[in-house]
Structures are given as C-alpha cells and as structure tokens.
Amino acid sequence: MEDRDLARLLAWGRIGIGLAGVLMPRFLARVWTGAPQPDFPTNMIARGLGARDIAIGAGLLASLEGAGSPRMWLQAGAAADASDALGTMSSFSDLGGLRASGLLALEVGAAVVGLRLADELA
C-alpha cells in the first residue's frame, strides 16, 4: 500500500470514528469504556472528541488532494492518538485488560503510523 493511500485510510477511519462520536455519543462511549454511560457529560465529551477527529480527518484528506502539506494534519492526528493512549493507560485497570490492550494497540499504532507518514509525505 502506498503512503498516500495509507494516509487516506487513516483519515477516513478518523472521520468514521468521529461521526460515531458526534451522532451516537453514548454508543461510542460504551464501545470505548465497556460500561453504560449517562447522558451528560458523556455526550458532550464524545461529541467534542468526535468533532476533533472529523476536523483532523477532513483536513488530512483535503491536504492529500492538494490543499497543502499533510504533515501537520498527520502530526495533529498522532498527537490526538497519543493523548488517547495516555488516557487509556491511566484507566487501564478500570477498562479491563483485553479492552484496554486493544484500545492501546489501536491508539499507539495510529500515532506511530501517523508520525511515520508525516515524515514520508512532508
């Protein structure tokens, strides 16, 4: 897979997760934490994180289509993924080993791929 194709996949994945956060915040929070979530502040938090991911994904897609360099969008995504990983690590025991391990692998993996792509597509 070419680097630009991988970056597009990363962008679309981020947009998809972001849409889930904006449109179905309680569902996304339940998938993320494994526990039923109250309406507030879960909806606010999930929608905010969802909007963040939509913005980063859309900016990355636009940059890949010629609206500037994708480097900063990839770095922003990697920073967001790394902060998600820190959150997961701080709640590892509450999330449960399997869920936390899967989330951590996804978050760290996305951050590493994003940083690698930022260097390659600069």
Side-chain angles (χ1 to χ4, degrees):
M1 179 177 279
E2 299 288 325
D3 287 341
R4 293 183 86 71
D5 295 330
L6 185 55
R8 279 187 190 86
L9 182 63
L10 200 60
W12 281 113
R14 186 173 296 284
I15 289 169
I17 291 170
L19 284 171
V22 169
L23 299 175
M24 302 176 294
R26 286 178 24 165
F27 170 76
L28 180 66
R30 172 107 190 214
V31 169
W32 199 347
T33 66
Q37 300 295 317
D39 288 338
F40 181 82
T42 300
N43 288 348
M44 178 186 69
I45 294 166
R47 284 190 173 120
L49 291 173
R52 169 199 80 177
D53 281 335
I54 292 169
I56 293 171
L60 178 53
L61 283 177
S63 71
L64 290 167
E65 298 305 321
S69 169
R71 182 181 178 92
M72 290 182 67
W73 291 107
L74 288 160
Q75 290 172 331
D81 294 329
S83 69
D84 291 344
L86 287 173
T88 296
M89 287 189 300
S90 71
S91 299
F92 201 90
S93 61
D94 294 328
L95 290 169
L98 185 58
R99 179 180 304 279
S101 296
L103 287 169
L104 196 56
L106 180 66
E107 295 156 352
V108 170
V112 169
V113 168
L115 289 175
R116 186 190 70 74
L117 289 171
D119 286 341
E120 295 296 322
L121 299 174

